[in-house]
């Protein structure tokens, strides 16, 4: 229903902005929870003498941080980036490919 509402309302409408904020906050809370649970699991495995999971978690975390940076840069500098001869599309390449790599290391 949130997606339908976002598609059905103009971007500048207050309702659109409110639901976009709700979507961003819920995504952020889920993201923090997933990383908290993964960090806790990797710490438990490390305390049992298995350091490999900690290494995988660290690699996953790095990929996700890089992905978020790419997504934020793409959102903040979208107008500037689209004026370049070649649009680097950090959202597609940074966010989507980076989160795939992060999920690969996490799971």
């Amino acid at each position: 229903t949130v997606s339908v509402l976002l598609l059905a309302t103009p971007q500048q409408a207050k309702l659109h902005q409110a639901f976009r904020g709700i979507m961003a906050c819920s995504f952020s809370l889920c993201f923090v929870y997933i990383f908290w649970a993964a960090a806790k699991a990797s710490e438990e495995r490390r305390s049992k003498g298995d350091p490999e999971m900690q290494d995988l978690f660290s690699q996953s975390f790095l990929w996700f941080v890089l992905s978020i940076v790419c997504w934020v840069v793409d959102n903040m500098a979208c107008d500037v980036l689209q004026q370049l001869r070649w649009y680097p599309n950090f959202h597609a390449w940074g966010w989507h490919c980076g989160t795939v790599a992060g999920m690969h290391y996490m799971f």
Side-chain angles (χ1 to χ4, degrees):
T1 58
V2 172
S3 297
V4 171
L5 183 72
L6 289 173
L7 290 170
T9 57
Q11 283 186 343
Q12 302 308 322
K14 293 199 184 293
L15 188 62
H16 182 93
Q17 295 297 323
F19 272 93
R20 191 166 179 196
I22 290 168
M23 191 171 67
C25 289
S26 63
F27 171 80
S28 298
L29 289 173
C30 289
F31 190 78
V32 168
Y33 173 74
I34 288 169
F35 271 94
W36 172 79
K40 185 176 176 182
S42 75
E43 182 59 33
E44 287 175 7
R45 292 287 298 263
R46 190 179 67 77
S47 68
K48 293 179 181 178
D50 183 9
E52 183 181 10
M53 190 167 176
Q54 182 68 35
D55 294 339
L56 292 172
F57 174 76
S58 296
Q59 290 175 10
S60 175
F61 186 76
L62 179 65
W63 275 106
F64 273 102
V65 168
L66 180 65
S67 299
I68 291 169
V69 168
C70 286
W71 180 69
V72 168
V73 167
D74 194 64
N75 276 327
M76 292 180 67
C78 185
D79 294 335
V80 174
L81 293 172
Q82 288 183 350
Q83 293 176 7
L84 299 174
R85 283 176 65 177
W86 177 77
Y87 176 52
N89 202 341
F90 289 128
H91 175 92
W93 294 107
W95 173 252
H96 291 287
C97 294
T99 55
V100 165
M103 296 297 281
H104 170 74
Y105 288 111
M106 183 177 283
F107 296 108

